[in-house]
Amino acid sequence: MRKTPILILILAAFLFSCSENESRKRKKEREIPTYRIGVNLPLTGNGSYFAEEFKKGMDLAMEHVGDSSGKIRIEAIYEDNKLNPKDAVTITKKFIEIDDVDLVVTGYTPIIQATVGLLEREGIPTLLTLSSAANIAATHKWAFRDFELESEIMPLLASYAYTSLDLRRGSWLVVNDDMGKDAVEFFSERFIELGGVMPGGEVFEPSELDLRNKINKVMDNDPDFVVLAGRGSAMINAIRQIRERAPELPIICNNTVDNEMVWTALGEDGDFIWYPRPYIDFSARLYNKANERFKAKYGEDMNWLNVYGMTVVAYLVKGLHSSEGDRDVMREYLRTLDVPSIRGRLVMNENSDVNVPHVLYTRMNGQSMQAEESIEVEKND
């Protein structure tokens, strides 16, 4: 009978110890800061392919951060704006008023234009992507862009078309928006400066599918090549319908052509296309380790959009860790960004744009390959 009180004491001591351990664990968890990234992208509907591929890269990086860091927690709050500016504004207000996010990632020009002012007024650091509109971040203190710029890639393509492909007379067929306008402007300026001729071209609406009449007008200019900028089905149809007239005419595109959905739809019609792709160091140990994880998760190699998402998260997490949630410090970190990555060295310039190294690719026999004598924009280890 005497054993009973002893057993009770042992049990009580054990329970007290467990309670103390649990209490210390909870205290330790409370001491680890949590930072929230609000991600406002069109994950369904128009524009969803680019956004979803970007998100896959973000997710891969977020999982790695969760597995490897016991110092901070990063939480990504994904919201689908369906490429609707009104929905994007509603999501932005939720991020501000309810989620209390530490920074926001958003993309596409109409969405950025609708929301960046709200984030600016609240002093929330914002990373813009999936938009090539000129100076979209330059006039905002709290906004910074990391994506391809027409002002950089189109002169690069123009130089290659003139000097390496020996093309002299071009025309253009581009979507009727800022991307199409900028693509023509920056390509033509450089091509004409080199001695080429761009006598005219046509624009099309994003919803247009039969572009034959406009293509006939483009062909009336007797071009050596056509500059094409568009998205989705309209761009796919434009390429197919150009091929009806000229099966091997060189087509110069910006990066919107470079996704598996487009290449699969086009098949052999996708040949004789030249386009830019961000530089990626495929030999880097970091790339190969990340690609192994990506293949295990998705069953395919990372594409350039996946790499974009992954590298963006890498430097944002570094900034959140070093700033300890201080928005002013985080803004200064982004303003002076200078980090190595598998995309080369990423440096923020005076226009609040990350300088993005590029390599030119071509499509032949249904395969993408680096263009011979490809011009590479500065890339660093």
Side-chain angles (χ1 to χ4, degrees):
M1 296 294 293
R2 295 178 188 175
K3 292 183 179 180
T4 302
I6 295 173
L7 290 172
I8 292 173
L9 287 172
I10 292 172
L11 179 60
F14 174 74
L15 292 173
F16 179 77
S17 175
C18 290
S19 177
E20 281 289 294
N21 288 337
E22 186 64 27
S23 177
R24 282 195 295 269
K25 182 180 178 183
R26 285 197 299 268
K27 183 178 180 181
K28 184 178 179 181
E29 288 177 348
R30 286 196 299 270
E31 289 173 351
I32 297 175
T34 298
Y35 302 116
R36 296 183 180 87
I37 302 174
V39 184
N40 192 352
L41 291 173
L43 301 176
T44 59
N46 291 334
S48 61
Y49 175 85
F50 273 57
E52 277 287 357
E53 293 301 307
F54 184 86
K55 179 180 179 294
K56 286 179 183 178
M58 290 191 70
D59 286 342
L60 189 77
M62 293 292 295
E63 289 172 7
H64 179 66
V65 169
D67 291 341
S68 63
S69 176
K71 298 179 180 179
I72 62 172
R73 288 194 189 87
I74 305 292
E75 178 184 352
I77 304 171
Y78 292 105
E79 296 287 353
D80 178 14
N81 61 46
K82 304 177 182 65
L83 205 56
N84 184 320
K86 289 184 179 179
D87 289 348
V89 168
T90 300
I91 291 166
T92 301
K93 290 179 179 178
K94 172 181 173 290
F95 284 163
I96 294 168
E97 298 167 5
I98 299 174
D99 298 318
D100 191 26
V101 297
D102 295 283
L103 64 88
V104 167
V105 175
T106 190
Y108 286 95
T109 301
I111 302 304
I112 292 168
Q113 291 171 335
T115 60
V116 70
L118 290 172
L119 296 163
E120 181 90 355
R121 287 195 290 273
E122 296 295 325
I124 298 176
T126 305
L127 195 284
L128 313 177
T129 191
L130 303 179
S131 171
S132 61
N135 297 319
I136 199 165
T139 59
H140 298 282
K141 178 181 177 182
W142 293 88
F144 306 88
R145 171 175 45 193
D146 187 354
F147 200 60
E148 326 289 82
L149 301 180
E150 304 302 321
S151 59
E152 292 182 357
I153 62 178
M154 298 314 290
L156 175 66
L157 284 163
S159 295
Y160 185 78
Y162 190 89
T163 61
S164 297
L165 298 180
D166 200 29
L167 300 174
R168 293 293 181 268
R169 183 181 179 87
S171 188
W172 42 267
L173 179 66
V174 299
V175 66
N176 187 22
D177 63 13
D178 287 339
M179 181 187 74
K181 174 179 173 294
D182 288 346
V184 171
E185 177 183 345
F186 292 115
F187 184 96
S188 298
E189 182 179 354
R190 178 59 177 155
F191 191 70
I192 292 169
E193 178 184 292
L194 290 169
V197 178
M198 295 289 288
E202 294 290 320
V203 299
F204 62 89
E205 299 303 321
S207 59
E208 282 190 76
L209 296 180
D210 188 350
L211 299 164
R212 290 179 178 84
N213 287 337
K214 290 180 177 180
I215 290 169
N216 288 338
K217 293 179 182 178
V218 167
M219 293 307 208
D220 286 343
N221 293 317
D222 193 25
D224 297 334
F225 68 97
V226 172
V227 173
L228 175 66
R231 300 180 186 86
S233 297
M235 180 178 59
I236 291 169
N237 280 9
I239 293 170
R240 284 173 175 163
Q241 290 160 19
I242 289 172
R243 291 293 174 239
E244 291 173 4
R245 285 285 307 268
E248 297 185 1
L249 183 74
I251 299 176
I252 309 293
C253 287
N254 64 4
N255 65 356
T256 55
V257 76
D258 187 22
N259 68 74
E260 284 307 311
M261 185 171 64
V262 171
W263 297 133
T264 300
L266 286 173
E268 292 183 0
D269 285 342
D271 288 355
F272 303 100
I273 292 178
W274 280 262
Y275 59 92
R277 182 179 284 180
Y279 166 75
I280 298 172
D281 185 358
F282 296 108
S283 66
R285 183 168 174 267
L286 176 60
Y287 170 83
N288 286 292
K289 289 182 67 176
N291 196 48
E292 286 177 9
R293 300 198 329 268
F294 192 89
K295 286 178 73 173
K297 185 177 178 67
Y298 296 107
E300 58 189 9
D301 290 324
M302 288 192 295
N303 61 36
W304 66 274
L305 287 161
N306 307 144
V307 172
Y308 247 104
M310 184 183 75
T311 52
V312 163
V313 166
Y315 66 69
L316 290 181
V317 168
K318 181 180 178 182
L320 287 169
H321 187 275
S322 62
S323 68
E324 297 183 341
D326 186 307
R327 290 177 177 177
D328 288 309
V329 176
M330 185 65 187
R331 184 188 71 84
E332 186 63 15
Y333 167 81
L334 288 171
R335 190 186 69 79
T336 58
L337 185 73
D338 184 348
V339 295
S341 83
I342 59 175
R343 288 195 284 134
R345 193 157 201 93
L346 305 179
V347 180
M348 193 71 69
N349 66 23
E350 65 278 5
N351 291 323
S352 297
D353 291 320
V354 173
N355 290 328
V356 179
H358 289 86
V359 180
L360 297 187
Y361 275 71
T362 186
R363 192 81 175 176
M364 293 293 175
N365 301 316
Q367 300 292 322
S368 293
M369 61 192 75
Q370 187 170 323
E372 186 180 357
E373 301 176 11
S374 177
I375 303 169
E376 298 183 6
V377 177
E378 177 186 0
K379 61 177 188 282
N380 302 291
D381 295 333

